């Protein structure tokens, strides 16, 4: 087996298969549970700092982890209560229960609550009784910790199967990240997340957490065209296209051109305005690195014609905003693989409708759209999912302050800039999300989309 790959994100089935591979190599479920429980107990120990701990144990191996945690914390002198609404059912959990010398109680209050009710084996929503137990215990403690996953969360989709599940200060993922650790709405309630490695090897075709980008300064002999020419096709609302153009400029492109019918007072002097009604000369420019179409385009027939013409050019496209609403199957030719689409949830839904896709949830919709069109799809929002021919990437959470008008235009401008600088759409999207996220971090709270653009050079510098 290949070396451990801490960035991979597994489904519950992939996790079970990985566990089986480890068992085939000589491990036992008990030995894995001991290792996982010890890693989790360390995290709870650090957080509890000697204060009393209550562990809620379910019937499966997540509950088994709980008995291991209880035993190991007691060995360190921590006062531990265990609440076990149902007895252990798996062999490993029965063994773990036997090795813990205590007697479960019905309820306990205290400082740290550890949720070991269900992990990847959750098969349906919690019953009212179990939900009440979980929430009352969480409410009765200062801090809650989820072991592997918060109970009530679907491991593969990030869906919360019950309303009003607890919020956690810490979630300790065991063996590998699960999809829910990176998907909304589940990940929003997990607090800080940590992975404890138990020796799971690399799994083929697993979703990966995107890597930190590694950007570079221009070469000594660079010129504006070698750094990338981005052309933005403007439309009815010039503001959005100008915002995207400024973002493209500050994300590394050497030359940014805006195709628009007339000038605008907000247009900086260093963004070249091309007022030619006929877009052909600009689109046929062999130096063109990337075309961006959508921000401020409008949805008129004229806008649709511009989109058709852009798609007929040989340049790689970034399709955003109105372009995504106008896009239809007859417009896409063989070159779709070179293009990046950056839909938010509403645009993704309308694209799925236009392409006759019926899929459940953002990840499945993005995947189906990629498969139907060949486009690289960045399904953006409070979680970001990228699907392309190189696989699927998830992203660390981004600032909730990004939920303001114009930030999508900025993201599209950055993505176009990265494509123009020579990245594949798949890599450009990964870099764009992270440069955008870093700019948001730098901008701090309550920023505008223009503030975000101003923060881009420092965000870029963070990845040099
Ligand atoms: N993989 C690894 O390498 C390692 C995994 N480890 C740990 O194992 C965890 C996975 O364990 P698991 O598969 O036993 O599942 P788990 O989440 O404990 O629950 C299953 C039980 O719950 C039941 N049940 C389900 N839903 C229910 C509901 N709503 N209400 C009531 N009951 C419900 C279901 O019974 P059912 O009624 O569906 O037959 C079954 O009895 C994983 O998250 C990690 O913590 C580590 O120990 C070691 C290394
Ligand atoms: K849990």
């Amino acid at each position: 087996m290949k070396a451990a790959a801490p960035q991979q994100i597994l489904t519950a089935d992939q996790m079970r298969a990985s566990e089986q591979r480890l068992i085939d190599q000589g491990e036992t479920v008990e030995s894995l549970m001991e290792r996982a429980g010890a890693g989790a107990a360390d995290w709870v120990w650090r957080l509890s700092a000697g204060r009393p701990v209550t562990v809620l144990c379910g019937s499966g191996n997540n509950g088994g982890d709980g008995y291991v945690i209880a035993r190991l914390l007691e060995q360190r002198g921590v006062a531990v209560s265990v609440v076990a609404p149902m007895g252990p059912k798996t062999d490993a959990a029965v063994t773990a229960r036997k090795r813990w010398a205590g007697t479960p109680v019905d309820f306990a209050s205290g400082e740290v609550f550890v949720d070991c009710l269900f992990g990847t084996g959750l098969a349906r929503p919690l019953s009212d009784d179990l939900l009440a137990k979980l929430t009352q215990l969480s409410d009765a403690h200062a801090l809650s910790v989820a072991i592997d996953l918060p109970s009530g969360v679907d491991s593969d989709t990030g869906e919360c199967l019950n309303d009003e599940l607890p919020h956690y200060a810490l979630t300790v993922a065991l063996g590998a990240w699960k999809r829910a650790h990176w998907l909304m709405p589940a990940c929003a309630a997990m607090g800080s997340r940590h992975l404890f490695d138990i020796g799971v090897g690399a799994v083929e075709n697993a979703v990966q957490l995107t890597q930190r980008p590694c950007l570079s300064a221009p070469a000594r002999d660079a010129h504006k065209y070698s750094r990338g020419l981005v052309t933005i096709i403007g439309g009815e609302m010039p503001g959005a296209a100008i915002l995207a153009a400024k973002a493209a400029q500050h994300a590394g492109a050497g030359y940014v051109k805006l195709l628009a019918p007339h000038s605008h007072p907000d247009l900086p002097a260093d963004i070249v305005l091309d007022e030619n009604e006929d877009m052909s000369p600009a689109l046929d420019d062999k130096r063109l690195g990337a075309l961006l179409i959508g921000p401020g385009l409008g949805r008129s027939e004229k806008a649709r014609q511009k989109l058709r013409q852009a798609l007929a050019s040989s340049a790689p496209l970034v399709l955003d905003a109105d372009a995504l609403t106008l896009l239809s199957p007859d417009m896409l030719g063989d070159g779709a693989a070179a293009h990046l689409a950056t839909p938010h949830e509403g645009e993704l839904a309308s694209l799925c409708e236009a392409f006759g896709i019926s899929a459940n949830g953002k990840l499945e919709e993005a995947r189906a759209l990629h498969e139907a069109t060949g486009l690289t799809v960045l399904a953006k929002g409070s979680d970001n999912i990228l699907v392309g021919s190189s696989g699927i990437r998830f992203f660390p959470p981004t600032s909730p302050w990004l939920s303001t008008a114009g930030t999508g235009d900025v993201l599209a401008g950055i993505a176009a800039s990265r494509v123009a600088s020579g990245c594949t759409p798949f890599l450009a999207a990964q870099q764009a999300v992270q440069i955008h996220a870093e700019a948001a971090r730098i901008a701090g709270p309550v920023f505008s989309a223009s503030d975000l653009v101003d923060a881009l050079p420092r965000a870029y510098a963070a990845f040099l």
Side-chain angles (χ1 to χ4, degrees):
M1 189 176 288
K2 289 180 235 162
Q7 298 301 312
Q8 66 185 357
I9 302 170
L10 303 186
T11 62
D13 281 349
Q14 287 172 325
M15 194 65 220
R16 279 187 276 273
S18 300
E19 186 184 29
Q20 189 54 51
R21 274 197 295 277
L22 289 172
I23 290 166
D24 295 344
Q25 289 165 9
E27 294 276 5
T28 61
V29 182
E30 284 78 5
S31 65
L32 293 174
M33 188 178 283
E34 277 297 317
R35 201 177 310 148
D42 267 346
W43 278 106
V44 178
W45 164 255
R46 275 175 230 160
L47 193 74
S48 62
R51 295 174 294 173
V53 171
T54 302
V55 186
L56 173 63
C57 293
S59 55
N61 288 344
N62 195 248
D65 297 338
Y67 294 112
V68 174
I69 293 167
R71 190 185 84 237
L72 297 178
L73 289 178
E74 279 179 351
Q75 284 173 4
R76 292 182 179 187
V78 178
V80 181
S81 305
V82 170
V83 177
M86 57 259 241
K89 283 190 191 158
T90 66
D91 291 346
V94 168
T95 304
R97 165 70 186 87
K98 281 187 189 147
R99 295 189 70 194
W100 173 67
T103 306
V105 294
D106 273 347
F107 194 79
S109 56
E111 295 294 328
V112 179
F113 166 59
V114 182
D115 167 8
C116 294
L117 188 56
F118 301 115
T120 50
L122 183 82
R124 53 192 174 277
L126 304 178
S127 63
D128 290 348
D129 285 356
L130 283 178
L131 179 63
K133 189 67 96 185
L134 177 70
T135 53
Q136 284 163 11
L137 280 167
S138 174
D139 289 348
H141 292 76
L143 293 172
S144 296
V145 181
I147 300 304
D148 208 12
L149 289 159
S151 300
V153 154
D154 185 302
S155 184
D156 291 351
T157 65
E159 195 186 341
C160 295
L161 301 188
N162 293 85
D163 292 332
E164 294 175 29
L165 291 171
H167 279 249
Y168 295 83
L170 169 70
T171 296
V172 184
L174 299 178
W177 295 116
K178 319 298 178 309
R179 290 182 175 182
H181 290 123
W182 304 98
L183 293 177
M184 291 291 284
C187 68
M190 291 189 187
S192 65
R193 289 154 301 166
H194 296 277
L195 172 63
F196 184 73
D197 182 18
I198 58 169
V200 170
V203 172
E204 223 178 310
N205 298 326
V207 172
Q208 302 285 327
L209 188 63
T210 195
Q211 303 281 331
R212 191 179 157 81
C214 193
L215 306 178
S216 50
R220 291 292 295 270
D221 59 351
H223 53 79
K224 61 190 176 193
Y225 290 114
S226 68
R227 288 184 56 195
L229 165 60
V230 175
T231 294
I232 297 172
I233 299 177
E236 290 160 17
M237 291 151 290
I242 292 172
L243 204 50
K246 288 183 185 170
Q249 244 184 345
H250 289 96
Y255 190 160
V256 180
K257 190 187 274 190
L258 178 63
L259 307 189
H262 43 76
S263 189
H264 186 276
D266 288 346
L267 187 71
D270 47 13
I271 292 174
V272 177
L273 179 70
D274 183 338
E275 293 173 280
N276 193 346
E277 254 302 283
D278 177 10
M279 299 200 305
S280 306
L283 300 191
D284 293 342
D285 188 337
K286 294 280 169 275
R287 298 165 300 190
L288 187 51
L291 260 180
L292 168 60
I293 183 160
L297 180 67
R299 298 176 187 180
S300 62
E301 195 43 45
K302 187 161 186 189
R304 192 184 304 274
Q305 288 313 322
K306 286 184 182 180
L307 178 58
R308 273 190 198 285
Q309 201 180 339
L311 284 162
S313 87
S314 57
L317 257 73
V318 174
L319 299 154
D320 187 45
D322 291 332
L324 300 173
T325 309
L326 293 171
L327 190 66
S328 55
D330 57 303
M331 291 182 186
L332 277 181
D334 296 340
H339 306 325
L340 170 66
T342 56
H344 60 47
E345 236 161 83
E347 290 155 355
L348 183 61
S350 94
L351 278 167
C352 285
E353 203 183 325
F355 284 84
I357 291 164
S358 131
N360 199 10
K362 184 168 167 173
L363 172 58
E364 291 313 316
E365 284 181 344
R367 198 195 335 230
L369 183 65
H370 164 68
E371 275 165 16
T373 60
L375 292 167
T376 298
V377 178
L378 174 63
K380 68 190 178 195
S382 47
D383 54 6
N384 289 286
I385 297 172
L386 175 65
V387 185
S389 52
S390 308
I392 302 178
R393 296 288 181 275
F394 287 0
F395 294 81
T398 56
S399 167
W401 295 105
L402 280 169
S403 52
T404 188
T407 55
D409 305 322
V410 174
L411 180 68
I414 302 171
S417 192
R418 301 318 301 152
V419 171
S421 75
C423 297
T424 62
F426 194 69
L427 182 59
Q430 291 177 69
Q431 294 185 350
V433 171
Q434 293 187 82
I435 295 169
H436 194 243
E438 178 64 12
R441 197 192 62 73
I442 291 166
V446 212
F447 54 76
S448 68
S450 298
D451 296 332
L452 194 62
V453 171
D454 292 343
L456 283 176
R458 275 178 293 156
Y460 192 103
F463 299 120
L464 281 174

